């Protein structure tokens, strides 16, 4: 009888009106307790997040089902399931990342609602689609999947370093495809699954490389050591990316690829007119190299066509920045904005980016017209500077949900900010050289104090009151200027949280440790209480 009485009391104490409201709209921020969803150590969900009827149905139909269906459709479109199965069997990075894709969506979109959920998800969808197109093109041309034979696609595909922008290849886009060698096996995979590149880092260290060079270069070299690069092109164009470590990567790639290779180094200190002239000549050298290797001449009309299309993307990006900087109506979260921006800028013009921007523009204009505050719990507008932890790119989703820290812009998002003139050949080459000088990490990470300290201008432009200062422990360039940043932060009275990490290697600094550093700063320096205490401390050490 006492148990029945207790149950009756419990039922009477329920606020059914609020329960119905929470069911229909989802619990408000502060009552969600998103951390309670996690399985201990894995970070996987015990059950799906309930976002209210409308947003849950949108997620299930327009994100979850839609993306699974289109992942299959993309496989069928770009080569079929047999070719895909061969690639999965041959290259471990495919299955490790492809099967984790929707968990990647879940992490990056956690807690999001309405227009912000929709716009951010479209950016993720575009990256997934283009990733599938890239690795299926690799597989279709790969001699390792075709009994060592070089088929027609092998002769019609260019391989290049991931920081050699796709814009370099616009003059041949009507006859050839260009696929970056490391973009999918390295860059994309460790965002989706933080375990994918660890064995490649171990592989290069096992043959004698010290552990202190950049883990990015280590992983890219290890892919060569373990023979996990597809053989899909008769030539290779490399770059120095942003440091000397990547030069060593190019050397190792040259050994293992064993084919004609053109090194197109992009200088860090490029403000000198003579150095800029050198960059222009390097690009022309790459063009001449392609002509010599393929017998197909430079096509000015093709270059102009794709350069103008790329300019459309850049103009819209600037429009997005304007809304982001000056209103609370920007519907894209920090991780979706940064990954999409760096991906399409390096990949070059593709139809998928235009299709995505068209969808996002409608959502953006709706938010502005109807004054929809997309991140209403924002306490701090943060700018993230330097190179981000690739194994924890979704930390800014956590930071907003837990602390109200809204990462409105990232350093890498601001790269490649250059329109490409097409009125004359010299103007085109001048702008293309500047475009490639502004590649990720090349300008604002190691490009000299005047570029690195553009941080202050962008803080003002985007009305930021906080800096998340990425501290890549093995980046010699940024480590060398750390003391100067500290002096400037103190002199300018800026709240800056230093986030140590090892780029793709989660073993050096764990995700849990990153969260604890932010938690400590917010409690001891800012004296603030978390919006969602369930996100303060959890173990995801075994998580992807």
């Amino acid at each position: 009888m006492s148990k029945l009485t207790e149950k009756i009391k419990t039922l009477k104490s329920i606020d059914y009106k609020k329960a119905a409201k929470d069911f229909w709209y989802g619990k408000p921020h502060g009552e969600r307790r998103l951390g309670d969803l996690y399985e201990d150590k894995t970070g996987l969900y015990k059950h799906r997040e309930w976002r209210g009827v409308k947003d849950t149905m949108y997620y299930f139909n327009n994100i979850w089902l839609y993306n699974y269906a289109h992942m299959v459709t993309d496989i069928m479109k770009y080569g079929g399931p047999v070719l895909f199965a061969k690639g999965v069997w041959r290259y471990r990075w495919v299955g490790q990342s492809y099967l984790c894709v929707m968990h990647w969506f879940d992490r990056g979109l956690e807690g999001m609602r309405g227009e912000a959920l929709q716009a951010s998800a479209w950016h993720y969808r575009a990256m997934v689609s283009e990733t599938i197109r890239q690795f299926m093109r690799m597989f279709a041309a790969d001699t390792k999947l075709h009994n060592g034979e070089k088929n027609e696609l092998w002769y019609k595909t260019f391989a290049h370093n991931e920081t050699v922008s796709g814009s370099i290849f616009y003059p041949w886009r009507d006859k050839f495809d260009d696929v970056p060698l490391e973009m999918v096996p390295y860059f994309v995979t460790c965002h989706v699954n933080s375990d994918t590149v660890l064995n490649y880092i171990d592989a290069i260290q096992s043959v004698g490389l010290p552990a202190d060079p950049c883990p990015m270069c280590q992983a890219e070299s290890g892919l060569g050591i373990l023979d996990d690069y597809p053989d899909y092109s008769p030539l290779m164009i490399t770059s120095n990316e942003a440091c000397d470590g990547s030069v060593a990567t190019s050397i190792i790639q040259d050994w293992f690829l064993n084919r004609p290779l053109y090194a197109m180094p992009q200088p860090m200190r490029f403000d000198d007119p003579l150095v800029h002239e050198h960059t222009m000549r390097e690009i022309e050298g790459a063009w001449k190299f392609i002509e010599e290797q393929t017998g197909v001449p430079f096509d000015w009309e093709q270059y102009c066509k794709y350069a103008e299309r790329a300019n459309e993307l850049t103009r819209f990006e600037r429009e997005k920045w304007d809304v982001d900087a000056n209103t609370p109506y920007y519907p894209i979260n920090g991780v979706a904005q940064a990954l999409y921006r760096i991906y399409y800028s390096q990949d070059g013009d593709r139809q998928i980016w235009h299709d995505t921007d068209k969808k996002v523009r409608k959502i953006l204009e709706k938010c502005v017209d109807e004054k929809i505050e997309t991140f209403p719990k924002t306490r701090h507008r943060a700018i993230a500077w330097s190179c981000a932890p690739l194994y924890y790119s979704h930390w800014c989703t956590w930071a907003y949900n837990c602390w109200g820290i809204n990462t409105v812009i990232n350093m890498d998002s601001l790269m490649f900010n250059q329109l490409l003139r097409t009125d004359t050949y010299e103007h085109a080459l001048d702008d293309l050289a500047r475009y490639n000088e502004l590649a990720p990490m090349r300008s604002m990470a190691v490009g000299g104090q005047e570029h690195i300290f553009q941080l202050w201008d962008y803080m003002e432009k985007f009305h930021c009151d906080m800096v998340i200062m990425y501290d890549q422990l093995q980046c010699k360039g940024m480590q060398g200027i750390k003391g100067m940043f500290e002096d400037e932060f103190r002199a300018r009275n800026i709240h800056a949280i230093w986030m140590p990490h090892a780029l793709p290697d989660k073993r050096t600094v764990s995700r849990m440790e990153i969260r604890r550093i932010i938690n400590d700063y917010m409690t001891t320096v800012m004296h603030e209480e978390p919006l969602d205490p369930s996100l303060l401390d959890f173990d995801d050490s075994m998580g992807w």
Side-chain angles (χ1 to χ4, degrees):
M1 190 69 179
S2 59
K3 287 185 178 180
L4 179 61
T5 304
E6 188 175 325
K7 286 183 179 180
I8 293 173
K9 286 183 179 179
T10 301
L11 290 173
K12 285 184 178 181
S13 66
I14 295 174
D15 186 341
Y16 289 98
K17 185 176 181 180
K18 185 179 187 311
K21 185 177 180 181
D22 288 346
F23 172 79
W24 191 257
Y25 295 105
K27 286 187 177 181
H29 203 150
E31 297 180 21
R32 295 174 189 170
R33 296 194 60 82
L34 293 170
D36 292 345
L37 295 176
Y38 303 147
E39 292 281 0
D40 190 39
K41 296 188 182 300
T42 68
L44 298 175
Y45 285 164
K46 297 175 183 176
H47 58 79
R48 307 301 302 174
E49 177 187 354
W50 184 258
R51 303 168 191 256
V53 173
K54 181 179 178 181
D55 286 331
T56 301
M57 291 302 102
Y58 184 92
Y59 200 100
F60 181 74
N61 292 291
N62 294 66
I63 298 178
W64 197 84
L65 279 180
Y66 182 90
N67 277 279
Y68 267 131
H70 277 77
M71 285 167 65
V72 175
T73 302
D74 287 338
I75 292 295
M76 301 298 293
K77 179 179 178 181
Y78 295 119
V82 174
L83 180 64
F84 174 68
K86 287 181 178 179
V88 172
W89 186 259
R90 175 61 180 79
Y91 302 107
R92 63 179 292 163
W93 46 263
V94 188
Q96 280 186 317
S97 53
Y98 187 84
L99 298 177
C100 306
V101 166
M102 290 316 300
H103 183 53
W104 181 51
F105 275 70
D106 288 343
R107 291 180 309 202
L109 304 176
E110 187 174 76
M112 297 182 65
R113 302 286 190 268
E115 285 70 23
L117 172 67
Q118 298 168 25
S120 300
W122 281 118
H123 289 81
Y124 275 76
R125 165 90 283 269
M127 290 186 285
V128 170
S129 179
E130 176 57 13
T131 295
I132 294 172
R133 188 201 69 79
Q134 285 188 12
F135 69 64
M136 290 298 285
R137 176 66 180 220
M138 284 179 168
F139 297 162
D142 186 11
T143 63
K144 298 174 184 177
L145 301 183
H146 294 87
N147 299 317
E149 296 180 5
K150 300 172 182 177
N151 59 23
E152 184 180 0
L153 290 179
W154 187 87
Y155 289 101
K156 291 188 175 181
T157 309
F158 298 147
H160 59 96
N161 182 275
E162 65 180 342
T163 56
V164 173
S165 170
S167 59
I168 297 293
F169 307 98
Y170 288 164
W172 291 271
R173 271 282 175 89
D174 60 329
K175 296 181 176 66
F176 297 84
D177 198 1
D178 51 279
V179 181
L181 185 68
E182 310 97 340
M183 178 69 84
V184 179
Y186 161 74
F187 178 77
V188 175
T189 58
C190 55
H191 283 290
V192 178
N193 181 344
S194 61
D195 293 314
T196 53
V197 303
L198 304 182
N199 60 303
Y200 302 123
I201 294 173
D202 293 342
I204 190 64
Q205 291 182 15
S206 72
V207 297
L209 184 75
D212 65 322
C214 174
M216 173 180 181
C217 305
Q218 294 187 56
E220 292 175 351
S221 300
L223 278 156
I225 295 290
L226 295 182
D227 191 29
D228 251 7
Y229 282 127
D231 175 11
Y232 62 93
S233 173
L235 59 85
M236 176 70 182
I237 295 180
T238 65
S239 174
N240 58 326
E241 293 178 1
C243 65
D244 293 338
S246 62
V247 176
T249 302
S250 297
I251 294 171
I252 292 174
Q253 289 172 348
D254 195 12
W255 291 345
F256 283 96
L257 296 175
N258 191 28
R259 69 205 56 215
L261 180 145
Y262 180 84
M264 190 182 70
Q266 306 291 294
M268 312 303 170
R269 300 305 303 267
F270 49 76
D271 294 315
D272 188 306
L274 293 177
V275 178
H276 181 66
E277 177 72 20
H278 170 76
T279 306
M280 295 167 64
R281 302 289 80 85
E282 290 284 353
I283 292 173
E284 284 190 309
W287 287 343
K288 184 179 180 181
F289 171 77
I290 293 173
E291 288 181 325
E292 291 172 347
Q293 295 299 319
T294 64
V296 179
F298 177 98
D299 190 328
W300 171 247
E301 290 185 2
Q302 285 296 314
Y303 175 80
C304 293
K305 171 185 174 181
Y306 287 101
E308 288 297 342
R309 284 172 55 85
N311 286 341
E312 294 176 18
L313 301 175
T314 302
R315 290 189 184 98
F316 181 54
E317 188 68 25
R318 291 176 177 179
E319 289 182 46
K320 289 159 65 179
W321 291 352
D322 186 51
V323 175
D324 188 16
N326 298 301
T327 79
Y329 314 133
Y330 186 64
I332 306 159
N333 75 350
V335 57
Q337 194 272 340
L339 290 180
Y340 179 77
R341 168 67 174 161
I342 192 172
Y343 202 126
Y344 87 70
S345 300
Q346 292 184 206
D347 187 38
D349 179 76
R350 305 283 178 181
Q351 184 58 43
I352 186 68
W353 313 132
H354 295 273
D355 296 342
T356 301
D357 281 1
K358 185 177 180 180
K359 295 182 177 72
V360 172
R361 180 182 287 278
K362 289 182 180 179
I363 299 172
L364 181 71
E365 290 177 349
K366 177 184 177 182
C367 290
V368 173
D369 291 343
E370 299 181 15
K371 294 182 170 51
I372 299 172
E373 291 196 31
T374 46
F375 297 95
K377 292 296 182 178
T378 298
R379 290 173 174 174
H380 302 282
R381 292 173 59 88
I383 182 170
W385 204 251
S386 193
C387 308
L390 304 187
Y391 61 90
Y392 198 17
S393 57
H394 57 288
W395 74 268
C396 48
T397 307
W398 167 85
Y400 175 74
N401 288 327
C402 186
W403 290 105
I405 300 173
N406 185 3
T407 307
V408 297
I409 198 70
N410 293 263
M411 183 192 77
D412 284 345
S413 307
L414 301 163
M415 306 294 190
F416 287 124
N417 185 23
Q418 175 72 42
L419 293 173
L420 303 173
R421 288 174 291 177
T422 56
D423 54 338
T424 68
Y425 174 83
E426 282 300 318
H427 283 165
L429 188 58
D430 180 49
D431 287 348
L432 188 61
R434 180 64 68 186
Y435 187 87
N436 281 272
E437 289 162 353
L438 297 175
M441 304 178 293
R442 189 172 287 135
S443 171
M444 298 174 195
V446 291
Q449 176 182 330
E450 63 274 24
H451 294 288
I452 294 173
F453 281 175
Q454 284 181 281
L455 168 62
W456 324 124
D457 296 332
Y458 283 115
M459 280 197 74
E460 183 177 353
K461 177 179 179 179
F462 285 91
H463 300 95
C464 297
D465 65 326
M466 180 176 286
V467 178
I468 304 298
M469 195 68 202
Y470 295 136
D471 187 13
Q472 211 280 76
L473 299 176
Q474 288 145 285
C475 179
K476 308 303 187 294
M478 288 305 288
Q479 287 294 317
I481 202 170
K482 185 173 181 178
M484 297 177 68
F485 266 115
E486 289 279 19
D487 291 342
E488 290 291 332
F489 289 144
R490 281 190 288 267
R492 297 167 185 265
N493 195 27
I494 289 174
H495 286 290
I497 305 177
W498 286 89
M499 182 189 288
H501 66 91
L503 213 56
D505 192 342
K506 68 177 183 180
R507 297 170 296 187
T508 304
V509 181
S510 70
R511 289 176 291 204
M512 182 185 293
E513 187 173 346
I514 287 174
R515 291 192 295 270
R516 284 174 179 168
I517 289 169
I518 296 176
N519 291 341
D520 288 346
Y521 193 94
M522 298 306 293
T523 54
T524 61
V525 178
M526 304 302 294
H527 304 293
E528 294 183 7
E529 295 293 328
L531 294 172
D532 186 344
S534 70
L535 292 173
L536 278 176
D537 187 23
F538 58 91
D539 185 356
D540 59 349
S541 56
M542 295 173 60
W544 298 329

